[in-house]
Amino acid sequence: MTDNLILGCVADDFTGASDAASFLMSKGLKTILFNGKPTGDIPKCQAVVIALKSRTQETKSAVADTIEAFQWLKEHGAQHLYFKYCSTFDSTKEGNIGPVVDAMLETFDEKYTILCPALPVNKRTVSKGILYVDGVPLHETHMKNHPLTPMWESEIAKLMEPQGKYQTLNIDQTLLAQDTESIKAIIREFGAEKAHFYIVPDYTCDADGTKIAEVFGDLTVLTGGSGILAPLAERYLANAEKQDIAPLCTNVTGKGIVLAGSCSKATLEQIADFQQKGYPSYKIDPLEVLQGKENLENIWNFVKQHADQEVLLYSSDSADHVLEIQKAGKDKIAALLEGLTADLAARAVENGYTRIIVAGGETSSAVAKKLGYHSFEIGESIAPGVPVMSPLSNEKIRVVLKSGNFGQQDFFARALQMTRK
């Protein structure tokens, strides 16, 4: 058991885990991130975030792996358990958010929990139970064409219907403005004859987050994006033992490289910006990889030709082109690209690169696994939800792993600059 472990979080992919860890750390909650369920003792900390790869995993396995991770956290003293998923609730009708939430409620004997994906700082808000991205209902945004998890609906209750077993209560702005006891009375009335249920609170601004943490922070089981984690951390720290935290130095000596596998609109814009700034870049053609015409050595030769520069290697492409490519075998191509990118990251570290910048959730998971780093210290964020991290096993390395949709347009240049000594 770990003393003072306030929060145990399990995220459904690696970039989601680093996103969660960055918001917890930003409020002073000492946080360690693990890639997969930890083994052995853990360093002294107040929060642990475990990264799984369960977002697109087969549902039965996703539920089993997530519950196993939460049970480990509970055994090690975690007072609150938090299931972290994407702020765009990216899950298909057959997706895993509902089954995991149901299993948490049933396993840990909690009557209800919140579904709180909102992240206002990144323009993801919930109003009257509907999830918006920059003021546009989720299913009307460009993310409706996501190649792995197309966004088909914006009302969270409807998103849960084909996945979860229980009913949803929306807490809109009018209800949220009431005092805590009045809100809880409404909740008790709604759940009087229900075994379990979900609550979707409106969350459009920081004040909403503070109120949600006040009303629901005592629950053992909580779920959502990273947005509510900052106010939860503030609430928990108000009653916790103070700890002195030495900040992680974000910059190190050595070369940097950028690897991108995300096909999100944001990442495509970041690639274009990077190229416009004059950085060398190499586009990896998925079909040529599939046909054996493209390989690690070809791509690494490009890196060696620009040994005195920081380069970008990317397989990112537009949604239309990706859908066309996937006709040749969606899962096979994805696995090949993730494996190739992970091998490139390993080759970079072997050749003295100390700053590894990666875009894309699945790509980041593959890279982290290949490099063999199992635990990370969390540093300052380059953008909301995207921190600089250092493996506990190698303090000379800095890793930045970002979700495809996150980051400013000049994110890659910023990340290289911020990690460069």
Side-chain angles (χ1 to χ4, degrees):
M1 180 176 290
T2 301
D3 293 336
N4 303 316
L5 183 56
I6 299 170
L7 182 70
C9 174
V10 177
D12 62 4
D13 75 352
F14 197 98
T15 53
S18 63
D19 174 18
S22 73
F23 278 93
L24 294 170
M25 195 71 185
S26 72
K27 297 301 179 181
L29 203 67
K30 178 63 175 178
T31 304
I32 300 294
L33 188 156
F34 290 93
N35 189 19
K37 193 184 82 170
T39 56
D41 295 332
I42 60 177
K44 186 175 182 180
C45 58
Q46 294 165 302
V48 167
V49 180
I50 297 175
L52 298 181
K53 195 177 178 182
S54 58
R55 181 172 302 173
T56 55
Q57 190 180 6
E58 183 271 327
T59 297
K60 186 176 180 180
S61 298
V63 172
D65 290 350
T66 305
I67 295 301
E68 182 182 6
F70 276 124
Q71 288 174 326
W72 186 93
L73 288 164
K74 191 75 171 173
E75 289 166 3
H76 284 75
Q79 300 167 37
H80 305 277
L81 305 176
Y82 192 92
F83 174 41
K84 196 295 183 174
Y85 39 80
C86 187
S87 59
T88 52
F89 210 86
D90 47 350
S91 188
T92 63
K93 293 181 181 181
E94 298 78 27
N96 296 332
I97 294 177
V100 168
V101 173
D102 290 354
M104 290 179 70
L105 291 173
E106 294 159 5
T107 301
F108 299 106
D109 195 28
E110 193 77 77
K111 189 175 181 68
Y112 66 90
T113 189
I114 55 172
L115 304 173
C116 191
L119 180 57
V121 71
N122 276 357
K123 301 180 180 180
R124 276 81 160 152
T125 58
V126 173
S127 179
K128 296 183 178 178
I130 296 173
L131 181 54
Y132 292 87
V133 177
D134 200 9
V136 179
L138 176 65
H139 74 286
E140 296 178 13
T141 69
H142 65 277
M143 284 178 270
K144 65 184 178 183
N145 297 318
H146 192 285
L148 293 178
T149 51
M151 316 304 179
W152 60 277
E153 175 58 67
S154 301
E155 187 175 346
I156 296 173
K158 290 183 179 178
L159 283 164
M160 286 293 286
E161 281 179 5
Q163 294 184 31
K165 295 187 287 188
Y166 305 114
Q167 294 181 28
T168 301
L169 170 65
N170 289 330
I171 301 290
D172 63 16
Q173 290 287 330
T174 301
L175 292 180
L176 197 62
Q178 296 187 32
D179 62 85
T180 297
E181 184 50 44
S182 296
I183 296 171
K184 289 188 174 181
I186 292 168
I187 292 171
R188 286 194 294 270
E189 182 180 355
F190 178 82
E193 298 182 2
K194 297 177 177 65
H196 303 285
F197 58 97
Y198 324 116
I199 293 176
V200 176
D202 277 12
Y203 189 0
T204 62
C205 62
D206 290 346
D208 292 342
T210 301
K211 185 62 176 287
I212 293 166
E214 174 190 324
V215 176
F216 301 105
D218 288 335
L219 294 175
T220 300
V221 172
L222 296 149
T223 88
S226 57
I228 193 60
L229 285 171
L232 283 172
E234 288 182 322
R235 185 184 190 281
Y236 297 149
L237 277 172
N239 301 313
E241 177 185 341
K242 302 298 182 185
Q243 292 190 3
D244 292 328
I245 299 173
L248 173 70
C249 179
T250 60
N251 55 67
V252 291
T253 57
K255 295 187 289 187
I257 192 168
V258 181
L259 306 166
S262 167
C263 297
S264 73
K265 182 174 179 286
T267 298
L268 295 176
E269 290 173 351
Q270 290 157 358
I271 289 170
D273 178 84
F274 197 72
Q275 293 168 331
Q276 289 166 8
K277 285 181 166 61
Y279 287 92
S281 63
Y282 186 101
K283 183 171 184 179
I284 302 167
D285 188 316
L287 291 180
E288 290 196 355
V289 174
L290 184 64
Q291 296 162 4
K293 298 177 182 178
E294 182 66 280
N295 57 46
L296 176 66
E297 298 306 325
N298 289 345
I299 302 168
W300 194 252
N301 282 336
F302 173 83
V303 178
K304 290 194 294 185
Q305 290 165 13
H306 299 85
D308 59 342
Q309 296 172 285
E310 294 170 322
V311 304
L312 162 69
L313 311 175
Y314 69 102
S315 59
S316 310
D317 212 328
S318 66
D320 290 343
H321 196 199
V322 169
L323 292 172
E324 188 65 29
I325 291 170
Q326 286 179 343
K327 293 178 182 178
K330 173 182 172 182
D331 293 338
K332 186 174 183 180
I333 287 176
L336 284 171
L337 289 175
E338 289 168 19
L340 178 58
T341 306
D343 288 342
L344 287 165
R347 178 70 64 91
V349 172
E350 289 167 5
N351 283 271
Y353 285 77
T354 59
R355 298 176 291 123
I356 312 298
I357 318 298
V358 187
E362 302 295 322
T363 307
S364 294
S365 295
V367 168
K369 182 177 180 181
K370 180 69 177 183
L371 293 178
Y373 301 142
H374 301 294
S375 55
F376 297 83
E377 185 176 355
I378 309 300
E380 188 179 350
S381 292
I382 298 164
V386 192
V388 178
M389 301 188 296
S390 177
L392 293 182
S393 60
N394 190 340
E395 62 183 19
K396 296 179 180 179
I397 297 288
R398 295 295 178 269
V399 180
V400 178
L401 306 173
K402 91 169 189 78
S403 174
N405 290 312
F406 281 15
Q408 313 90 330
Q409 188 166 318
D410 63 346
F411 178 85
F412 293 146
R414 281 177 182 251
L416 288 171
Q417 180 180 7
M418 194 164 169
T419 55
R420 185 190 302 124
K421 193 133 188 173

